[in-house]
Amino acid sequence: MSYIGNIASVDTVTNTESPELFGIVVIGFLFVMVVLALIAAVTAIFGAFFVKKAAADLVKVSRNLEKTAESTKSIAETNSQMIAARDDKETAEVEDPEVAAVISAAVYTMLKDRPHRIVSIRPGGPGWAQEGRRQIFSSHRVR
Amino acid sequence: MADLLQRLYENTGFSHLDWRMLAMWVVVGVLLYLAVYRKFEPLLLVPIAFGAMLANLPTEGIINKPASVLRSPVNGEVVFAVVQEGDPVRLNAVERVMPTTVGDLDQEILSRLLNGEAVEGFGARSLLFIVRPDTTNETDAIAQTSLRKSDILVWAEADGRVVSVDVAIGERVFKGEPLAELHSEHSGGLFHYIQLGVILEIFPPLIFLGVGALTDFGPLIANPRVLLLGAAAQFGVFGTFIGAQLFGFSAQASGAIGIIGGADGPTSIFLANSLAPELLAPIAVSAYSYMALVPVLQPPIMRLLTTEKERRIRMKSLRPVSRIEKLIFAVIVTITCVLLVPPASPLIGMLMFGNFLRECKVVDRLSKAAQNELINIITIFLGSSVGITMTGDRFLRAETLGIMVLGVLAFCLATGAGVIMAKVMNAVSKQKINPLIGSAGVSAVPMAARVSQVEGQKADPGNFLLMHAMGPNVAGVIGTALVAGFFLTVFTSGH
C-alpha cells in the first residue's frame, strides 16, 4: 500500500516531459481509428475469401446432390418395378422423388465427400410404431 | 481500575476509528446495496465492497508489508537520514496516505518529523530518509533549510527495527538501490501478497485471458466495419482525458481517468496501476460502478441522438463464421496490435490467447478453465485488492469526486460518439446500420449490447439487434486496450 503511494508520486514527478494535450488527443484518437480500420479491412478481405469459398462449396454440394438424386431416381424406378410385384403400397412410397431426394441428402450429410452410390432404397422393417412397442415391452422384465 | 479500562480500550479497535472510516462504511453500504439488491455488476462490486469494508476497519495483519530492504524511489542524492542502526520504526495501526514530498509539509511538522517525534494527523509512521531527485529545481528551495519542495520523503514500510543503514547523507543513490534494511517479527499480511497481482500487473491480463475465452468474435468477423464503432467510442476516453486536464490532474492521471470511458474494468486497473497508482481505487470503483449503470446512463443519450425511424432500422442477418476464420482473426489481431502498440501486448495477447483456446476446439479443458475457474478466482482477488485500497483518507478526497464526475462524462461521450459514428457510416454507405448498436462500442460486454437490444425492441418489437451489437461491443474491448497501450507509450518509457 505504501509502496503504491510512494512510487505513484515519484513517477508523476519525474515524468515531466509530456507531449502537448491537443497532439495526444488528435494523434491518439486517429491512431486507434486507423488501427481498427486496418484490422477491419484485413478481416473483410479474408472474410470475402471465405464467403467466396463457402459459395463455391455450396455450388459443389448442390451439383453432387443433383447427381445423387438423379442416380437415386433411376435406382428407385428400377426398385419400384421389383417391389411393385410384392407390395404396391410400399412402391408408391419409394417412387416419390421427394423421398428419394431426402434420403439422398441424408446419406450425403452423413458421408460428406466420401465417395458413395445409392443402389437401392427399400422400406425398412415393419414400421416405427411396431418398433416402439417392441422397445417398450422389452424394457421391462416381468417378475 | 480506570487505568486498566483505559488500556483495554486502547487495545480494542475502537480507539483507531475515525470519521473517514465511518464515512466509508456508508460508501461500502451503498456498493453492497447496488450489488446485492439491485444486482449491478455483483461479481465485482461485492468483492470490492467487502475489501473496502476491511480497509476501513482497524484490522491487524491483513495488509501490512513484511519488513525488508527499503529502497530509493528515485535516482538522486540522500539529503537527510533520520534513523540509525537499531532504531525502532513504526507504521500506523490504520493505513494512511502519507505526504510524498517535502513541499507537502509545513516547516514545523517537518522539523518535528526530522526529530523523530510523532505528529498528530500523521500517526506513528516513521520518516526515515529524504532523497533529492535528479530532476529537482533550485527554485524549489525552502527558506532557512537545505531542503527543497520536490525532495522525496521515504517512510517506514513495516513495523520493526532498523538492521542496517546502507547510505549516508550526501551519497548518490539510484532508483531501487537499498537505503536500509528493516527487520520485523511479523510476516506480511494476506492482502499484501494478493495485491502483488495488481501491482505487478498480473491480474488484469489474466482476466483478459478469461474474457477472450468467453468472447465470440463471430459477429465482429461477419461484419468487420463495426470495428469503427468500437474505435469511435474511444472518443469518450480522449474527451475525458481533456476534461481531467481541465480539472487539474497530471497528464498521466488524466490518461488513467480517461480510460474509464472505455468501460473496461481490467484495462482501467491496468493503466491506473501504471500511470497513477494513487488513484487506482477511485478509478476502479468509478469504472465498475458506471459499467453497472450502463442501462441507466446510455438510453437517454441513445434516444436523444437518434430518430424513431433510425431506431427501427433492421439489419441484415449475419453470415455464419467458420472456425478457421475465427482462428485467423485471433492471430491477425494479436500480430497487428502487438506490432503497432507493444505496451498493449499483455492485454491484447492474453485476450486473443484466451479466444484462440476457445475457438481451436482441441483444448476444451483449458478453455473451460479460463472461462470459469481462472476468471472467477482472479475476479475475487482483483475485486478485493481494489477494495482494500479504498481507505478513507485515500478515497474521501475532492479528486475522487472529480473522478466520479469525469467517469459519467466518459461514459456519455463514448456512448454518443459510437451512435454518431453509426449515423455517419449510414450517410456514406448503402448497407444501413441501426445507430443504436453504436453505443455498444463502449466495452461493458455484454451489458451495452443488451441495452442496444432493449432500446431497439422498444422502437420495433420484432427487431433483434443483440448479435449485431456484440460486434462493436467486442471491438470496444480491443479499442480500449489499444488506447491503454497508446497512453503507456506516450507517458512511460516502458518497463
Side-chain angles (χ1 to χ4, degrees):
Chain A
M1 304 268 290
S2 51
Y3 174 85
I4 294 177
N6 280 344
I7 299 302
S9 55
V10 171
D11 281 353
T12 312
V13 170
T14 54
N15 211 336
T16 50
E17 290 181 19
S18 302
E20 62 173 292
L21 178 71
F22 184 73
I24 292 174
V25 171
V26 172
I27 293 174
F29 188 57
L30 284 179
F31 177 75
V32 175
M33 288 293 282
V34 168
V35 173
L36 289 185
L38 179 70
I39 294 173
V42 174
T43 309
I45 290 167
F46 77 74
F49 168 77
F50 280 103
V51 169
K52 212 170 169 182
K53 188 172 174 290
D57 287 348
L58 198 66
V59 171
K60 196 176 155 190
V61 168
S62 58
R63 275 187 198 150
N64 281 348
L65 270 177
E66 275 171 22
K67 269 187 200 170
T68 316
E70 274 172 24
S71 62
T72 310
K73 194 178 173 187
S74 63
I75 293 158
E77 279 169 7
T78 317
N79 281 350
S80 64
Q81 287 167 3
M82 292 161 64
I83 293 164
R86 289 206 318 260
D87 191 338
D88 285 344
K89 195 181 169 189
E90 285 171 5
T91 314
E93 238 178 28
V94 179
E95 260 185 352
D96 187 348
E98 281 180 12
V99 174
V102 168
I103 291 170
S104 308
V107 170
Y108 178 81
T109 306
M110 290 306 293
L111 299 177
K112 297 270 169 18
D113 290 334
R114 280 151 59 189
H116 62 275
R117 188 168 170 223
I118 297 168
V119 289
S120 78
I121 297 176
R122 281 177 294 164
W128 293 109
Q130 199 175 341
E131 173 62 15
R133 279 196 293 277
R134 190 192 65 75
Q135 281 189 8
I136 289 167
F137 285 130
S138 62
S139 67
H140 299 285
R141 184 178 294 168
V142 181
R143 291 180 187 176
Chain B
M1 179 79 172
D3 195 36
L4 185 67
L5 283 172
Q6 172 73 17
R7 270 175 30 214
L8 187 66
Y9 170 74
E10 281 170 6
N11 281 321
T12 64
F14 289 104
S15 60
H16 299 298
L17 289 179
D18 66 16
W19 69 270
R20 283 170 292 208
M21 290 172 144
L22 300 178
M24 285 306 289
W25 292 0
V26 177
V27 175
V28 167
V30 171
L31 291 179
L32 284 176
Y33 169 75
L34 289 176
V36 178
Y37 289 101
R38 304 299 302 269
K39 295 191 171 61
F40 284 174
E41 289 280 340
L43 292 177
L44 281 153
L45 284 188
V46 168
I48 288 176
F50 212 89
M53 189 167 79
L54 289 174
N56 291 285
L57 286 169
T59 53
E60 268 185 32
I62 197 162
I63 52 172
N64 57 303
K65 288 184 72 173
S68 61
V69 175
L70 189 67
R71 297 177 186 279
S72 171
V74 283
N75 294 338
E77 179 192 342
V78 178
V79 291
F80 220 95
V82 188
V83 287
Q84 295 177 333
E85 282 181 17
D87 282 355
V89 290
R90 294 193 62 195
L91 277 184
N92 299 330
V94 176
E95 174 69 16
R96 284 184 190 282
V97 177
M98 304 305 284
T100 50
T101 61
V102 169
D104 296 337
L105 303 170
D106 69 40
Q107 285 213 36
E108 190 200 332
I109 289 175
L110 182 63
S111 59
R112 287 179 63 188
L113 286 169
L114 295 178
N115 288 329
E117 294 174 31
V119 178
E120 199 176 336
F122 286 80
R125 194 166 173 185
S126 311
L127 176 66
L128 304 189
F129 296 95
I130 298 178
V131 180
R132 176 164 301 156
D134 287 344
T135 51
T136 192
N137 193 336
E138 283 193 23
T139 56
D140 281 351
I142 299 173
Q144 297 171 344
T145 71
S146 58
L147 296 173
R148 293 177 191 167
K149 286 179 185 170
S150 54
D151 290 346
I152 306 284
L153 305 169
V154 182
W155 301 89
E157 290 184 353
D159 260 329
R161 200 163 282 280
V162 178
V163 176
S164 65
V165 177
D166 302 335
V167 289
I169 293 173
E171 201 170 313
R172 185 168 164 68
V173 288
F174 295 101
K175 185 176 179 177
E177 191 176 327
L179 298 174
E181 189 174 347
L182 309 182
H183 171 74
S184 170
E185 289 168 5
H186 306 289
S187 57
L190 170 69
F191 274 98
H192 161 69
Y193 295 104
I194 293 179
Q195 270 194 325
L196 290 178
V198 175
I199 293 167
L200 301 175
E201 296 175 358
I202 294 170
F203 290 161
L206 287 182
I207 291 271
F208 259 53
L209 179 79
V211 170
L214 284 165
T215 304
D216 177 11
F217 283 101
L220 181 63
I221 300 169
N223 189 10
R225 64 195 183 124
V226 295
L227 268 158
L228 295 177
L229 300 178
Q234 305 313 314
F235 182 75
V237 176
F238 291 102
T240 312
F241 173 79
I242 296 173
Q245 290 267 289
L246 297 177
F247 263 63
F249 286 99
S250 70
Q252 288 93 338
S254 301
I257 293 167
I259 209 78
I260 296 171
D264 191 329
T267 308
S268 300
I269 290 170
F270 184 80
L271 195 66
N273 188 55
S274 294
L275 297 184
E278 75 280 13
L279 300 178
L280 178 65
I283 287 174
V285 170
S286 175
Y288 283 118
S289 308
Y290 292 134
M291 274 165 68
L293 292 173
V294 155
V296 179
L297 292 175
Q298 285 196 319
I301 300 165
M302 293 158 78
R303 285 197 288 269
L304 185 72
L305 294 175
T306 53
T307 62
E308 183 76 16
K309 191 181 167 194
E310 284 172 328
R311 293 197 287 273
R312 284 188 187 157
I313 292 175
R314 289 197 176 191
M315 294 175 68
K316 211 173 122 186
S317 294
L318 294 169
R319 68 179 173 88
V321 175
S322 66
R323 181 176 69 147
I324 185 73
E325 271 185 272
K326 290 178 180 175
L327 293 179
I328 292 173
F329 179 78
V331 172
I332 284 177
V333 171
T334 308
I335 293 172
T336 310
C337 293
V338 171
L339 285 178
L340 291 170
V341 201
S345 314
L347 296 177
I348 293 285
M350 294 307 271
L351 179 75
M352 289 303 160
F353 175 37
N355 191 249
F356 200 93
L357 291 179
R358 170 199 171 95
E359 301 298 351
C360 69
K361 309 281 185 204
V362 292
V363 286
D364 260 9
R365 280 166 51 192
L366 303 189
S367 173
K368 280 178 185 160
Q371 287 176 25
N372 298 294
E373 295 85 353
L374 182 68
I375 198 167
N376 290 342
I377 291 168
I378 301 296
T379 300
I380 292 171
F381 288 165
L382 185 68
S384 52
S385 300
V386 168
I388 207 91
T389 61
M390 287 172 63
T391 53
D393 63 338
R394 182 176 286 141
F395 199 81
L396 298 174
R397 293 172 167 201
E399 64 186 18
T400 302
L401 191 65
I403 289 170
M404 299 306 272
V405 171
L406 287 165
V408 177
L409 175 73
F411 267 70
C412 296
L413 282 177
T415 303
V419 173
I420 290 169
M421 185 64 179
K423 292 175 74 144
V424 170
M425 286 167 75
N426 279 348
V428 296
S429 167
K430 284 179 188 167
Q431 208 176 340
K432 299 294 179 199
I433 292 175
N434 190 315
L436 291 177
I437 71 165
S439 64
V442 302
S443 310
V445 183
M447 186 97 76
R450 277 208 294 267
V451 171
S452 300
Q453 160 78 6
V454 169
E455 286 303 306
Q457 290 210 319
K458 278 182 190 166
D460 175 4
N463 200 358
F464 294 93
L465 292 174
L466 187 64
M467 289 316 286
H468 297 289
M470 283 307 291
N473 213 188
V474 294
V477 178
I478 300 173
T480 308
L482 281 173
V483 177
F486 172 78
F487 279 141
L488 286 172
T489 307
V490 172
F491 295 127
T492 64
S493 52
H495 295 279

